[in-house]
Amino acid sequence: MTEVVYNIPISLFSGYRGKNVIVRSYDPVEMVMGLSDYDLDHLVAVQLLSMTGNVDVLTNWGNGIPIDLLMLHPQTEFPFLYRYAKLLDRHPLRVCIPVVSGFSKAVKVATSLKLFVKLEIGQPDPSLIDEIHRVLNFYIHNPMVALPIEYFHSTFLAMYHSEQSSLWDVQEENPVNIRYVTEDGRETIARRLGTDRAEGNFDTFVADWQSSMIAEKAECYDCRYFRHCGSYFKWPRKTYRCEGVKSLFGTLEEAAQEMQGEITVLTQAQKGVA
Amino acid sequence: MFGRHFSVILLPTNKCNVACDYCFEDKTDDFMSIEMLDEIIEKLLDHMDRKDVAALTIYWQGGEVMMLPPAWFERANDLIARKAASRSRIVEHSLQSNMIGYSGKWNRLIREMFGNSVGTSMDFPNLYRRARNRSPAEYTNIWNRNVREARDSGIQIGVIAIPNNETLRLGAERFYSYFVDELHITDFQVNTSFSGGEACDAKLQSILDLHGLSKFVVDLAHIWAERGFRGGVKLGPFDQLLNHFIGDIASLPCIWQQNCADEFVSIDARGYVAQCDCWVTSYPDYWFGNIFAESSFTDLLEKSPARRKFQMRPEKLMTEESCSDCDYLSVCHGGCPVRTYSITGDFFRKDPYCQVYKALFSTMEQIAARVAAERASHTLPVMRVA
């Protein structure tokens, strides 16, 4: 059984000793000061909640500690990524980009700086689908994209290998694996966008949600992408219409099939079949 | 800052033995004593300790480094090796010389300190490189003789060439043939000029028509791809761009780093610190400080308003220029600050050679696609059919 990872504010760090934690803070200085006296064996990653802190303190702090940068306003914050790219010498670096109008520029700059990207997609407004498609095509076709853009990458791989996947896992929001701890110490589901917080039995939260969607014969009931989505896009607003996100799955599926076909032909050729 | 490795362009003398018309350096007669070097190295190692930097590369330049005797470098090498070992740090050395003062007495030092390799410079045709009161032709003759002697002694020679108006008129074919077929140089790179320092006619003329320069680099790329690439001729930055576009590990030049302020600094013979040799020798207003005047090199860097401007430049370009919309952002990041400043007078503009770079990037991308397809066709026969 996988050990749960807790996403905690730095103020609660001492109370979670011995547990796997992602520690979050707005201030890199607070992060370094707050963690410097502790054993970091169970530190899974640190999350920086602001793009404007003093990044220099992280350049000679530890080695190989994964850093998550959480953007709030990618349309205006994308130039700040240049401040953080120098951390790559020491730390794996990922930028979490909310899918809001103009987010694609942040994706482009992040990939140009060789940063991992995770899209905080939530339930995207239909007006954003075109921009998400542009980013998806950039991910699929641009040879300069050298690192994963999630959730595209994991979903593409699952489709390519004809395996099941779950956006709850890909997006690190499945409370079986990861729990968000609020400032006042309440455990809830990890979800940055929106204000909804799930409570109840976290071990069955996703399964229960999926069952309810199927039982209600929501779009999920006969959706061909359910095995990759798992009703992710129906939460928290179950009335969310999925046409747009289905078209994104469709593009990923076509790309995966195209690659499957090409690899099959090449493999056969190598074996002398063709 | 600087991660696990950093580089210092160290100028042990600001004095030069030649007087090239287009040189950007405001030269002085200053030499660095071993005692001064001792203090510099001590402070650099303090900085490495403080920032947990494991390795340092020193790029020795001038002025002209060979204005100092080999014995000075032998002492320097011993001193640095001893101090680095006592702090468990790695220091490596690289040498850039005009080779005009070269003789066989340098061979042992070049072998032991510099990995038997020297970087030097020559243009084709040579219009601007000359010794004082001598002609470019005389300079070229001395350079050729010395480079030949060095190569005969087993020293690897890398050459930097800066195209001029005559280069463009003669064309890429003649340029390539001169270095590869006539001089048998197999490792050279093309740089663009910049007009740093005091203005003069040669510097103004060295800023070329961008359309002509674009055509030149595109032609040169094709010539190299057809004749040099498979024959082992290294042509920078073309070869590294090819690696980049193929997806191999590439070492792109400093002008295209995401932020040169995170990569290196330069220190001159008086101890002045600036972003690179171009800045330290040309633009006092952009000095970060003087290493002898500060007890801590780390503090000098961190408190420098000039350095802060360098750190901010890529960010500013993302909002004030078209760079974030460019297909080649990942390769270029807005280009070289010193070329920008010297040509436009504005630090926060994109590199004025943008048009030339784009022409080169596009060409190398196409060549890389061809090379990748050829590679695939060797291993996967079906690709030929497709």
Side-chain angles (χ1 to χ4, degrees), chain A residues 56 59-60 62-63 76 78-80 82-83 85-86 88-90 105 108-109 111-114 142-144 265-266 269-270 274, chain B residues 1-4 50-53 244-245 258 262 308 311-312 314-315 318-319 324-327 329-330 333 365 379-380 382-383:
Chain A
D56 285 341
T59 55
N60 59 322
N63 269 316
T76 53
F78 69 90
F80 299 155
Y82 271 89
R83 299 181 191 178
K86 61 187 167 191
L88 279 172
D89 274 358
R90 286 181 187 273
K105 193 159 271 191
K108 183 176 180 186
V109 173
T111 53
S112 294
L113 293 170
K114 298 182 173 53
N142 194 308
M144 294 301 97
V265 171
L266 294 174
Q270 278 184 317
Chain B
M1 157 184 64
F2 296 121
R4 303 287 293 158
R50 195 163 153 189
K51 292 291 180 183
D52 191 23
V53 175
H244 176 83
F245 286 117
Q258 58 197 27
D262 295 333
R308 178 59 61 185
Q311 290 175 314
M312 291 298 295
E315 272 185 56
M318 290 307 106
T319 52
S324 64
D325 295 321
C326 177
D327 288 343
L329 176 63
S330 65
H333 302 287
E365 190 175 21
T379 51
L380 301 166
V382 72
M383 289 299 283

Side-chain angles (χ1 to χ4, degrees), chain A residues 227-242:
Chain A
R227 68 195 300 257
H228 298 295
C229 170
S231 300
Y232 176 88
F233 284 116
K234 284 291 185 188
W235 191 86
R237 284 182 294 118
K238 59 173 72 172
T239 55
Y240 181 78
R241 299 294 302 169
C242 291

Side-chain angles (χ1 to χ4, degrees), chain B residues 106-326:
Chain B
W106 285 90
N107 287 357
R108 188 167 63 88
L109 180 87
I110 291 170
R111 188 172 60 247
E112 292 175 359
M113 185 172 178
F114 298 106
N116 221 20
S117 174
V118 181
T120 183
S121 305
M122 176 50 71
D123 306 332
F124 174 77
N126 176 18
L127 302 181
Y128 305 123
R129 295 179 188 275
R130 67 173 85 223
R132 211 171 303 280
N133 301 320
R134 308 282 285 271
S135 70
E138 289 171 283
Y139 182 104
T140 303
N141 286 339
I142 296 168
W143 185 86
N144 275 333
R145 186 193 65 213
N146 289 352
V147 165
R148 199 162 43 239
E149 184 183 335
R151 294 176 66 199
D152 289 346
S153 301
I155 295 170
Q156 302 281 326
I157 299 289
V159 179
I160 295 171
I162 298 173
N164 53 48
N165 278 311
E166 264 310 278
T167 314
L168 302 194
R169 193 184 66 77
L170 291 168
E173 173 65 41
R174 282 287 294 120
F175 178 87
Y176 185 86
S177 295
Y178 175 72
F179 285 107
V180 177
D181 301 331
E182 291 180 35
L183 301 186
H184 304 290
I185 298 291
T186 56
D187 182 356
F188 66 118
Q189 73 177 66
V190 177
N191 275 11
T192 51
S193 69
F194 76 97
S195 52
E198 204 171 313
C200 68
D201 287 347
K203 288 180 190 175
L204 294 175
Q205 288 163 14
S206 73
I207 307 304
L208 305 180
D209 165 62
L210 296 182
H211 180 72
L213 186 56
S214 300
K215 181 179 182 310
F216 172 80
V217 297
V218 168
D219 290 347
L220 186 60
H222 287 300
I223 292 166
W224 173 73
E226 283 169 26
R227 290 166 41 191
F229 161 57
R230 286 176 188 76
V233 175
K234 295 182 192 167
L235 174 57
F238 301 62
D239 49 0
Q240 296 306 319
L241 285 170
L242 183 70
N243 289 342
H244 176 83
F245 286 117
I246 284 177
D248 289 346
I249 293 170
S251 177
L252 295 172
C254 60
I255 58 172
W256 296 329
Q257 298 300 311
Q258 58 197 27
N259 193 339
C260 59
D262 295 333
E263 304 288 334
F264 50 83
V265 293
S266 182
I267 304 171
D268 83 353
R270 298 161 294 183
Y272 287 113
V273 181
Q275 184 49 52
C276 70
D277 54 314
C278 307
W279 290 100
V280 82
T281 57
S282 301
Y283 298 110
D285 289 347
Y286 283 82
W287 286 340
F288 299 165
N290 190 301
I291 195 168
F292 299 121
E294 300 283 342
S295 58
S296 161
F297 183 62
T298 309
D299 291 346
L300 181 156
L301 294 179
E302 290 183 349
K303 290 176 184 167
S304 163
R307 185 165 182 272
R308 178 59 61 185
K309 287 184 78 171
F310 281 90
Q311 290 175 314
M312 291 298 295
R313 183 172 175 270
E315 272 185 56
K316 297 269 272 185
L317 296 185
M318 290 307 106
T319 52
E320 294 177 12
E321 289 280 7
S322 56
C323 299
S324 64
D325 295 321
C326 177

Side-chain angles (χ1 to χ4, degrees), chain A residues 106-229:
Chain A
V107 175
K108 183 176 180 186
V109 173
T111 53
S112 294
L113 293 170
K114 298 182 173 53
L115 308 181
F116 289 90
V117 171
K118 177 187 169 203
L119 299 180
E120 296 284 356
I121 192 162
Q123 294 178 303
D125 189 87
S127 65
L128 292 168
I129 296 297
D130 279 352
E131 189 171 2
I132 304 172
H133 260 297
R134 286 201 299 277
V135 171
L136 176 55
N137 283 317
F138 175 71
Y139 158 75
I140 292 172
H141 298 295
N142 194 308
M144 294 301 97
V145 178
L147 292 170
I149 297 175
E150 295 292 12
Y151 66 98
F152 300 151
H153 189 70
S154 292
T155 306
F156 173 83
L157 284 180
M159 288 173 162
Y160 172 77
H161 291 293
S162 303
E163 292 169 352
Q164 187 163 355
S165 61
S166 165
L167 280 189
W168 294 97
D169 293 327
V170 172
Q171 293 292 88
E172 298 163 11
E173 292 178 32
N174 187 343
V176 169
N177 303 319
I178 187 162
R179 306 230 174 119
Y180 187 89
V181 181
T182 60
E183 298 292 324
D184 57 5
R186 192 164 49 95
E187 284 185 24
T188 179
I189 185 170
R191 184 102 173 181
R192 190 158 64 92
L193 294 174
T195 54
D196 297 74
R197 296 285 176 207
E199 292 179 349
N201 186 348
F202 292 126
D203 290 335
T204 59
F205 172 80
V206 170
D208 291 346
W209 181 254
Q210 290 169 342
S211 298
S212 70
M213 288 298 100
I214 299 296
E216 292 174 26
K217 299 209 169 172
E219 270 184 285
C220 307
Y221 180 72
D222 56 357
C223 178
R224 63 183 297 176
Y225 302 115
F226 180 79
R227 68 195 300 257
H228 298 295
C229 170

